[in-house]
Amino acid sequence: MNAKGDLIARALSLGLGAPEFEVSSDGPPHQRTFHVTVRIGGEPLGEGGSGRSRKDAERAAADSALRVLDGEPMADSEEVHDEAPAGRWPIYAGVLEAALETATEFADEDASLDDVRRDAGRLYRELLLDLGHGPDPL
């Protein structure tokens, strides 16, 4: 799986624009740790990622951002979400776009971009389940 490529393709197919990967590092040169934050439209998406290499940190950050686009809560989120079947959900760009538009339309004025994306992911999953589609097993 190419998480960074998958994230870029998904963001572009949703009309969100290309994600930006902000990279920072710390530690001595022989023990450098990289930290990456994914931003779309200037807003952070997901929890970011860390790793011993820039590539590993970008992959972890992209995985986190993809989970948000899939409607999964972030680790520090206290929100309660309905249990959805585990697995990789099929991507139907038109349905996903409609779910995102609907979530945007019904979002509170002070809703964050992550809130809208979580709602869109939940709507998308519910639509697919109603149509008899579910996730592919992992």
Side-chain angles (χ1 to χ4, degrees):
M1 179 170 116
N2 176 2
K4 186 175 177 181
D6 290 349
L7 174 62
I8 292 168
R10 176 104 48 97
L12 292 174
S13 74
L14 292 172
L16 302 174
E20 298 173 5
F21 293 80
E22 291 181 359
V23 181
S24 64
S25 63
D26 57 32
H30 65 283
Q31 285 186 317
R32 182 98 36 220
T33 300
F34 292 86
H35 308 280
V36 175
T37 301
V38 173
R39 292 187 181 276
I40 295 181
E43 295 289 325
L45 179 63
E47 299 169 341
S50 297
R52 303 289 293 150
S53 71
R54 179 182 178 140
K55 184 176 179 179
D56 288 344
E58 287 177 342
R59 182 181 308 119
D63 280 336
S64 175
L66 283 167
R67 285 192 305 274
V68 170
L69 289 178
D70 286 340
E72 294 178 25
M74 295 191 301
D76 63 353
S77 176
E78 295 180 10
E79 290 185 52
V80 176
H81 293 276
D82 295 337
E83 278 296 312
R88 186 171 177 90
W89 289 81
I91 302 299
Y92 301 109
V95 177
L96 193 52
E97 180 181 5
L100 186 59
E101 287 175 5
T102 301
T104 301
E105 182 179 333
F106 289 102
D108 293 333
E109 287 184 30
D110 61 342
S112 72
L113 190 58
D114 284 342
D115 292 335
V116 173
R117 288 187 180 121
R118 269 191 298 276
D119 288 343
R122 182 184 46 77
L123 288 169
Y124 181 74
R125 286 192 315 269
E126 288 173 3
L127 279 168
L128 290 185
L129 287 173
D130 287 347
L131 294 170
H133 297 272
D136 298 327
L138 294 175

